[in-house]
Amino acid sequence: MFHQTTIKTVTILLLFIGMAIYTVFAGFYGRELVIEAAYLVILAISLDMVAGYGGMVSLCHGAIFGIGAYVFAILTGMMGISPFIALVAAIAASGLFGLFVGAVTSRTSGIFFIMTTLAFGQMVYVYTFENRALGGDDGMSGVARLDLSMIGIDTNDSLQFALLAIVFAALSYAVAAFIMRSGFGRTLVGIRSNEVRMRALGLPVLRYKAFAFGISGALAGLAGTIAAQQTMFVSPEMMSWMMSGEALVIVILGGLGTLVGAAVGAVLFVFLQHEVSEVTRYWHIVVGLVLILVVVLGNRGAYGQIEHLLERRKKVAPKASALDVAAEKDASHA
């Protein structure tokens, strides 16, 4: 069950504040890394909601991410519709697709669920790849960015757009945390823990799982719109199963079922990839070794392991103090 502990609050605040400070002092390339990290934070959080708390490991979140990007690109680049309307439409389209996938796949579990979501993702990818009206494998360019000039924000400026991406990431975390703390979130965790018992209580389990996937899909679509605005270009590669796999790696790297871990994992993944790739082109090996190390050391992820150690220290400290008091009493009696 999700609890917004002090450790979580401090970690997420330090993460976003650190990203903002880095953005201010970084150059153009550094800000591009921050934007990439920000939309991956949103994508990872959306996946952690269903995988970490709902027990639904999805391999179609890359496709949902791509649907958000493509809907935004089509409405702004091809149809000339306002980016604000396009943003809402893209989030809605991704959410509806997620709801549909959730409704169909919620009757399965385990490896069958994973393979079904993979099949949905690949169908979307192949359709987009073969559709010449959408640019086919060449993709689409001419994507517009949000116009926030009325409040003094120039989204074409790399600094301001990077800070805006961080704000979207922070809001996404707040929304996800609110949902997971609500009755809906607690019920979802209960379904993951014992689906048979929840059915016996009369809860519409399939409906809960479908709606969870729909909410997760909406957040993934938001991440897609930010990615599309960053490069002002979309391509079918955004929808490939590798994008889904990358999101899953990020969640495991940071800590499955923590939300904060998903955000930490995204930032670690982007900057670890950047730093290692400057030394060797085989950065995938290094990231893979780090992931193996994280799993072997407790399967809690980077953030999850730190949280576990801090909680253990809290439990040990009262015991130690109680022993000290007992020792003082014995000394006084002596």
Side-chain angles (χ1 to χ4, degrees), residues 166-210:
I166 295 172
V167 170
F168 274 121
L171 290 174
S172 298
Y173 175 81
V175 169
F178 175 79
I179 292 172
M180 288 298 102
R181 290 176 64 187
S182 68
F184 179 87
R186 291 194 294 271
T187 302
L188 187 64
V189 173
I191 292 171
R192 182 202 64 187
S193 301
N194 195 325
E195 185 172 332
V196 175
R197 180 174 293 179
M198 299 302 278
R199 288 179 187 275
L201 292 173
L203 287 170
V205 170
L206 299 183
R207 191 184 309 167
Y208 271 96
K209 293 170 75 172

Side-chain angles (χ1 to χ4, degrees), residues 38-39 41-49 61 64-65 68 90-92 94-95 168-169 171-177 179-180 212-226 259:
Y39 70 68
V41 165
I42 302 173
L43 179 60
I45 286 173
S46 72
L47 179 58
D48 197 23
M49 289 178 68
H61 265 60
I64 300 174
F65 171 83
I91 293 172
S94 297
F168 274 121
L171 290 174
S172 298
Y173 175 81
V175 169
I179 292 172
M180 288 298 102
F213 221 89
I215 295 169
S216 173
L219 283 178
L222 172 61
T225 64
I226 297 173
L259 285 189

